[in-house]
Amino acid sequence: MKKKIIIISGDPNSINTEIIYKSWKNLNKFKRKNIYIISNYMLMKKQINKLKYRINLIKVKNIYENLSANGLKILDIPLKFDDPFNVSFKSSSIFVKNSLDLGHKLALDKNVKGIINCPLNKSLLQQKNLGITEYLASKCKVKNNSEVMLIKSKNFSVIPITTHIKLKNVSKKISSKLIINKIHTFRNWYKLTYKKNPKIGILGLNPHNAELIKDSEEKKIIIPAIKKLKKEGFNINGPLVSDTVFINEYKNYDVIVGMYHDQVLTPFKTIFRFDAINVTLGLKYLRLSPDHGVARNIIKRKIADHSSLTKCIEFLHKFK
């Protein structure tokens, strides 16, 4: 039996049904056959009708039911709504958390390759400073904050050491231990997947690395972490200066590690746009998501770019 791919439809108030439909139409029958969508059946049906798409939706009870490729298989999650493109915050929040919980449960099944969650407004999780990466890491009981948010294009990736926290808290959050734990998680996955030792560049926190003054985070936290990792055989270099590294120098590395979310994601998205996927490492399973948001400003306009979701599906299909 071929392993399944689970797609979580995510935020009801989004372009997600559109990109799921477009990705589905872009796949061959072999790949369609093993995909199951966690969503609300009636929501998807009404959204697809509004968008005037033609596709067969099939409500299923589990991932071992209806193994055909003739329709989009839906694992139905309850959802209260009147307008299919304007679902209340309360209903959306309950729906999203129930969807993620089912996705987590199914991902633990040995016959599942991994899960892909479509974009959602993180406020729906109703937990302070918590994104999907942290939500699923908590469910997987990940120790030492060693889970990793990896934003990946074909030949290059970035990792933020801290993710969804305020900038004023970044210097308090980072530590040599945290940096070391996350880089270990990344290298273990990279070597297992690509059979080689990755070239890692790590950024400083401050402008011009604070000129490496004695009390800087570079001197106290980042350089000690780099020295320890080098002693362990890591191919790592830094601290690199973040205001110039993405001009050309990044091409010398397989991954650039930054200290906070926008330090690496802003230049990465500027360079690669939708040619990227978001991968969470360090969980008990592979979790991916498209590298963009819910795009409420273009809901119902049928102009959403599905390429990042399609790349997520293609990426998972490569794994046995």
Side-chain angles (χ1 to χ4, degrees):
M1 181 182 292
K2 296 293 183 182
K3 290 188 177 183
K4 317 300 181 186
I5 290 176
I6 309 298
I7 299 177
I8 302 169
S9 67
D11 197 326
N13 303 307
S14 67
I15 56 167
N16 294 345
T17 292
E18 180 182 345
I19 62 173
I20 289 171
Y21 167 81
K22 288 179 175 178
S23 292
W24 170 263
K25 296 294 284 187
N26 198 49
L27 298 172
N28 62 40
K29 288 185 178 181
F30 171 76
K31 291 175 180 177
R32 290 178 181 179
K33 189 175 181 179
N34 299 308
I35 291 175
Y36 289 76
I37 312 295
I38 296 176
S39 188
N40 177 267
Y41 176 82
M42 286 307 300
L43 178 83
M44 286 203 75
K45 185 173 183 179
K46 288 180 180 294
Q47 289 186 344
I48 281 171
N49 287 340
K50 288 274 189 181
L51 293 165
K52 297 182 180 180
Y53 291 147
R54 294 177 64 86
I55 188 170
N56 183 29
L57 299 183
I58 305 168
K59 189 189 293 188
V60 297
K61 294 180 180 178
N62 58 63
I63 60 172
Y64 300 102
E65 184 180 343
N66 199 313
L67 303 179
S68 74
N70 297 324
L72 197 58
K73 297 181 279 291
I74 311 295
L75 293 155
D76 193 41
I77 297 289
L79 175 64
K80 293 180 180 180
F81 66 93
D82 295 316
D83 182 340
F85 284 105
N86 189 22
V87 182
S88 72
F89 181 90
K90 182 178 179 181
S91 291
S92 297
S93 179
I94 294 168
F95 170 73
V96 161
K97 286 188 276 190
N98 286 341
S99 297
L100 287 171
D101 290 348
L102 178 58
H104 165 75
K105 181 180 177 181
L106 292 175
L108 297 172
D109 190 306
K110 65 181 180 180
N111 290 310
V112 171
K113 288 177 181 279
I115 58 174
I116 302 168
N117 70 267
C118 290
L120 59 88
N121 180 345
K122 294 177 180 60
S123 66
L124 294 173
L125 297 176
Q126 295 185 298
Q127 298 187 53
K128 187 177 181 182
N129 296 331
L130 190 68
I132 304 164
T133 301
E134 297 83 6
Y135 185 88
L136 295 176
S138 175
K139 288 199 161 291
C140 289
K141 296 181 170 57
V142 175
K143 296 180 180 179
N144 301 319
N145 298 115
S146 58
E147 74 279 1
V148 167
M149 175 191 284
L150 178 75
I151 310 298
K152 184 183 185 309
S153 65
K154 184 178 180 181
N155 296 312
F156 177 71
S157 304
V158 295
I159 294 170
I161 293 296
T162 62
T163 50
H164 304 104
I165 66 173
K166 293 179 180 179
L167 276 177
K168 68 179 183 179
N169 295 327
V170 170
S171 62
K172 303 171 192 173
K173 177 70 174 177
I174 62 171
S175 66
S176 294
K177 183 178 179 181
L178 182 67
I179 293 168
I180 289 166
N181 286 343
K182 288 185 181 290
I183 291 179
H184 268 282
T185 297
F186 166 74
R187 191 183 73 158
N188 290 343
W189 173 82
Y190 193 95
K191 289 183 75 173
L192 185 65
T193 304
Y194 298 105
K195 314 302 181 190
K196 66 175 184 177
N197 198 23
K199 296 177 182 177
I200 302 168
I202 184 166
L203 303 180
L205 172 64
N206 299 290
H208 308 293
N209 287 334
E211 311 295 342
L212 299 180
I213 60 175
K214 188 175 181 180
D215 67 344
S216 68
E217 288 83 0
E218 286 77 11
K219 276 285 191 178
K220 295 192 298 182
I221 296 170
I222 299 169
I223 291 174
I226 293 169
K227 287 180 177 179
K228 188 172 190 307
L229 289 167
K230 281 186 173 181
K231 285 182 179 179
E232 294 177 16
F234 283 68
N235 187 354
I236 186 168
N237 188 33
L240 307 175
V241 180
S242 59
D243 68 350
T244 56
V245 71
F246 286 98
I247 296 173
N248 200 47
E249 190 179 2
Y250 75 92
K251 297 175 184 177
N252 297 324
Y253 299 95
D254 296 303
V255 65
I256 294 289
V257 179
M259 295 301 112
Y260 59 92
H261 187 279
D262 287 8
Q263 186 184 31
V264 287
L265 267 69
T266 299
F268 182 91
K269 290 183 179 183
T270 302
I271 296 167
F272 295 100
R273 295 179 62 79
F274 294 115
D275 185 20
I277 58 176
N278 183 345
V279 187
T280 301
L281 308 179
L283 304 179
K284 295 178 179 178
Y285 45 79
L286 270 177
R287 170 260 171 181
L288 294 85
S289 70
D291 188 29
H292 59 75
V294 297
R296 290 190 180 186
N297 58 312
I298 59 169
I299 290 174
K300 296 190 282 186
R301 292 176 60 189
K302 300 171 71 169
I303 60 172
D305 189 325
H306 66 92
S307 57
S308 188
L309 175 58
T310 301
K311 289 178 188 298
C312 289
I313 297 169
E314 298 285 1
F315 183 81
L316 271 185
H317 264 294
K318 295 176 183 177
F319 288 88
K320 294 182 180 180

